[in-house]
Amino acid sequence: MAQVLEIRWHGRGGQGAKTAALLFGEAALDTGKFIQAFPEYGPERMGAPVTAFNRLAEEPIYIHSGIKNPDIVVVLDPSLIEPAKVTEGLKENGVLLVNTVEDPGVLRQRLNLPATVRVFTVDASKIALETIGRDVPNTPMLGALARVTGVLQLEPMLEAIKDKLLTKFRGQEKLVESNLQSIRRAYEEVRGIE
Amino acid sequence: MILAKTGNEAFAYAMKQINPDVVAAYPITPSTEIVQLFSNYVSDGEVDTEYVPVESEHSAMTACIGAAVCGCRVMTATASQGLALMHEMLFIAAGLRLPIVMAVASRSLSSPLNIHGDHSDSVASRDSGWLQFFCETVQEGYDTLIQAVKIAERANLPALVGIDGFILSHCQERIETLEDQVVRDFLGRRKPAYNLLDWRNPILVGPATLQDYYFEFKRSEIEGMNQVLPIIEEVQAEFGRIAGRKYPVLEEYRCEDAEAVVVLMGSACGTVRVAVDRMRAKGKKVGMVKLRVFRPLVHSLLKKSLVKFKKIGVMDRVDAVNSYGGPLFTEITSVLYDTDERPWVFSYVYGLGGKEFTPEDAEMVLEQVLTGKEDELVTYVGVR
């Protein structure tokens, strides 16, 4: 079977976990990968915990079910860490990436994670406030995710996302630029890189 | 072009390329985006379609019938309760031999209320005289919708193309699209035998035929369905030549020397492929038979394929609520009655209301079929 990289996003309704997964999928597609991006649809409410998923592979992906044992977990809201059990099922050599002010080492200790799990943090909310002007952590997290996984190069990813955002925010080029800026900053500012 | 599209986006994009004369639709979860995105194409002037926003699905199908009778190429989209509300008009579309094509994001039927994917809606329409296709991937959905237009028009029968609600309708996948012009050349223009608006050659549409002719009309409709399989295969081959992608009506996946196989339709086929690969790696002789066409029932192909196996699990993402398992199960057992081999056939009902169906579930089913005993007729997978 094809080697498939599986990512699970945790966020709250309105934070853009689904949009981030779709954008990440689209950016990965441009690098020639086979992709899936899909949300888990529960009762959707602003603020309620939600999850979204990505699969990336070099070959066609056939499986059509949710992801239980992700290689990577991305958390858009640090208040979800315990209640949403974000590390549940995370592979032993997996990656945890969290939007938080907390230091990755402290977070690792607090969650009692095995040494094989790599932990990264980035203050994506602050970056979003300073660039986009609103606490929308999903776009900056794409930059951090690209950095920690290495599956996507920054510049091609920015190109792909720019195309997508230009369609989404027709005529609002400043907004698109600030989103791209947030991705660049998170790429630079993610903590835990050795 | 290579694009990232959800199932709904891919359906809407295919409809844009097909550029039908008329689309009449009423949005319903999880198919809403198909209609929403298509109406964007209409207002952006990317299609020539006359778009009719109606007040219900019943009216949507009625408007489609009216337009199709006038010689138009007609499409719509719906799901679940919407398809149920169309039910009355589905028979009229088929009885009038109108090649309307409908995109469906398959969803459960209420009650209890549920918006997620299963095959209740499409399968409940199985006796309405529509062709029915079930797709495994977003790519297959896109490809099949385009093929369906040509098949429907060549056969003078309406066609329903289903993708599993949410599981595919809201899943973004990589798809390869054809150029607009390639799609339009492939389909050409609809050439109806009759046109209600052709006042030089007046015709009568939809009159009462009582004991005198009703049965003869129905017999002719039945014959249309009897003769459609070669048309499907022909169009699939033509499509394969322009797209390079081929979908057999019935696919055997790793069935060589298999002792047990499962038969199923839709997105779960992919999940079963993963399970089959895992079990084959452990030396277990299992396989999958993927059925892409539910109507017509391709009995000759099913019989030819399935007599080779000792044990068969038929997996339905819907129950017939008839105390005898899933609808595909009963049809397959009846197909196999007239054979010397008479394999053991078990019914597996799974994934109702979008219940998660994992490779582990599929492995459990395959394992159970492999070791199956006669008294385990119907299994409800994963029900607590």
Side-chain angles (χ1 to χ4, degrees):
Chain A
M1 281 306 286
Q3 278 295 107
V4 183
L5 182 77
E6 297 185 317
I7 304 173
R8 186 173 69 208
W9 298 77
H10 292 269
R12 291 189 179 276
Q15 283 184 320
K18 175 196 167 187
T19 307
L22 291 175
L23 279 171
F24 194 72
E26 196 146 345
L29 178 91
D30 282 3
T31 67
K33 291 198 184 333
F34 287 83
I35 55 123
Q36 276 182 354
F38 56 102
E40 180 174 61
Y41 281 94
E44 284 173 272
R45 300 176 307 277
M46 195 71 104
V50 295
T51 48
F53 306 95
N54 278 119
R55 285 193 176 95
L56 273 62
E58 302 296 331
E59 291 169 53
I61 303 166
Y62 291 106
I63 187 169
H64 283 112
S65 61
I67 292 171
K68 281 187 190 155
N69 299 111
D71 299 281
I72 301 166
V73 167
V74 187
V75 183
L76 296 182
D77 189 322
S79 71
L80 286 170
I81 292 173
E82 278 94 3
K85 296 180 182 148
V86 298
T87 55
E88 196 166 76
L90 178 62
K91 287 203 180 121
E92 272 182 22
N93 55 351
V95 167
L96 175 67
L97 169 63
V98 184
N99 167 28
T100 175
V101 295
E102 208 169 350
D103 177 78
V106 176
L107 183 61
R108 169 196 300 285
Q109 218 159 24
R110 186 158 68 83
L111 298 179
N112 200 17
L113 293 170
T116 49
V117 170
R118 294 187 297 148
V119 182
F120 303 92
T121 63
V122 62
D123 194 349
S125 291
K126 179 172 160 238
I127 294 172
L129 282 167
E130 289 176 1
T131 52
I132 307 165
R134 275 198 314 134
D135 183 3
V136 278
N138 60 341
T139 353
M141 286 304 265
L142 292 167
L145 181 60
R147 179 78 182 275
V148 305
T149 58
V151 290
L152 296 184
Q153 302 290 318
L154 180 64
E155 290 306 325
M157 184 178 89
L158 285 171
E159 278 305 304
I161 290 175
K162 188 177 177 181
D163 284 350
K164 183 83 180 168
L165 292 180
L166 281 173
T167 323
K168 192 175 169 182
F169 304 123
R170 275 190 217 186
Q172 301 180 65
E173 276 166 31
K174 265 193 177 163
L175 181 59
V176 173
E177 197 40 55
S178 62
N179 269 280
L180 297 178
Q181 187 54 29
S182 77
I183 296 174
R184 279 181 205 283
R185 274 197 51 190
Y187 185 89
E188 294 303 328
E189 294 176 25
V190 62
R191 286 170 292 169
I193 310 281
E194 281 150 26
Chain B
M1 261 197 297
I2 292 173
L3 298 170
K5 293 231 175 270
T6 65
N8 282 341
E9 289 168 353
F11 267 172
Y13 192 79
M15 284 170 72
K16 181 192 86 154
Q17 297 187 304
I18 293 164
N19 192 17
D21 299 309
V22 173
V23 167
Y26 186 87
I28 181 167
T29 304
S31 67
T32 301
E33 284 169 319
I34 305 172
V35 180
Q36 180 192 328
L37 295 168
F38 187 77
S39 65
N40 286 350
Y41 293 133
V42 174
S43 52
D44 291 347
E46 294 192 56
V47 289
D48 310 309
T49 308
E50 174 87 28
Y51 177 70
V52 192
V54 286
E55 85 290 355
S56 78
E57 288 84 356
H58 189 280
S59 300
M61 187 46 64
T62 309
C64 287
I65 290 169
V69 162
C70 297
C72 294
R73 178 171 285 162
V74 184
M75 299 184 79
T76 187
T78 194
S80 186
Q81 311 302 126
L83 186 52
L85 188 56
M86 281 182 186
H87 195 67
E88 179 188 16
M89 303 314 290
L90 296 179
F91 290 77
I92 297 176
L96 292 174
R97 305 293 301 273
L98 300 173
I100 298 164
V101 174
M102 171 155 56
V104 172
S106 305
R107 164 186 151 185
S108 60
L109 287 171
S110 195
S111 177
L113 179 63
N114 178 302
I115 57 167
H116 287 275
D118 70 31
H119 298 163
S120 306
D121 49 5
S122 304
V123 170
S125 321
R126 65 174 194 177
D127 297 338
S128 64
W130 283 58
L131 305 173
Q132 287 202 15
F133 298 86
F134 283 77
C135 305
E136 179 184 345
T137 61
V138 173
Q139 178 77 66
E140 189 175 338
Y142 167 85
D143 291 341
T144 306
L145 198 64
I146 295 168
Q147 294 172 19
V149 172
K150 197 163 195 167
I151 293 165
E153 290 177 7
R154 213 171 267 184
N156 286 311
L157 286 171
L160 178 163
V161 179
I163 51 171
D164 291 352
F166 286 104
I167 300 164
L168 288 182
S169 69
H170 287 65
C171 179
Q172 182 190 64
E173 294 188 342
R174 173 193 188 275
I175 68 164
E176 288 182 42
T177 59
L178 299 167
E179 295 301 319
D180 290 1
Q181 199 53 49
V182 171
V183 174
R184 286 171 196 185
D185 291 345
F186 176 70
L187 295 176
R189 288 197 64 79
R190 183 185 163 202
K191 297 185 192 73
Y194 306 100
N195 177 348
L196 188 64
L197 295 184
D198 179 4
W199 56 271
R200 285 191 185 82
N201 299 292
I203 55 164
L204 182 61
V205 174
T209 58
L210 305 179
Q211 296 94 327
D212 51 358
Y213 270 114
Y214 181 86
F215 203 169
E216 281 71 20
F217 273 108
K218 288 317 271 187
R219 179 66 187 84
S220 146
E221 182 192 337
I222 292 161
E223 195 54 27
M225 190 61 89
N226 287 350
Q227 292 183 11
V228 76
L229 180 57
I231 296 175
I232 294 172
E233 289 176 327
E234 200 174 274
V235 171
Q236 287 187 159
E238 288 170 26
F239 186 86
R241 283 195 288 277
I242 62 159
R245 293 183 293 276
K246 288 182 182 151
Y247 304 96
V249 168
L250 183 151
E251 178 197 342
E252 292 183 355
Y253 181 71
R254 306 195 73 171
C255 286
E256 68 283 355
D257 76 0
E259 285 164 14
V261 297
V262 289
V263 190
L264 73 161
M265 310 187 292
S267 67
C269 290
T271 307
V272 171
R273 283 180 205 274
V274 175
V276 167
D277 288 351
R278 285 184 191 170
M279 290 179 71
R280 281 276 174 180
K282 291 179 211 156
K284 298 196 171 167
K285 293 181 175 173
V286 294
M288 175 188 75
V289 175
K290 168 183 164 182
L291 185 61
R292 190 171 121 73
V293 177
F294 179 56
R295 281 295 176 272
L297 183 70
V298 291
H299 52 88
S300 54
L301 296 178
L302 282 165
K303 192 184 289 184
K304 194 173 157 213
S305 169
L306 297 179
V307 290
K308 295 182 298 217
F309 313 112
K310 284 196 185 72
K311 289 173 177 174
I312 299 162
V314 182
M315 298 179 55
D316 282 276
R317 200 163 202 142
V318 52
D319 192 84
V321 200
N322 60 359
S323 87
Y324 197 57
L328 188 59
F329 162 74
T330 45
E331 296 199 333
I332 284 180
T333 48
S334 98
V335 161
L336 293 170
Y337 180 79
D338 180 29
T339 59
D340 295 334
E341 295 82 358
R342 291 267 187 96
W344 278 8
V345 189
F346 308 100
S347 174
Y348 289 86
V349 176
Y350 72 101
L352 300 198
K355 190 174 189 71
E356 182 83 304
F357 178 74
T358 64
E360 292 72 34
D361 295 324
E363 277 190 76
M364 186 276 290
V365 170
L366 284 161
E367 190 68 48
Q368 207 178 317
V369 177
L370 205 53
T371 57
K373 305 281 185 303
E374 217 165 346
D375 57 345
E376 296 160 339
L377 190 65
V378 187
T379 304
Y380 297 93
V381 181
V383 171
R384 288 167 295 170

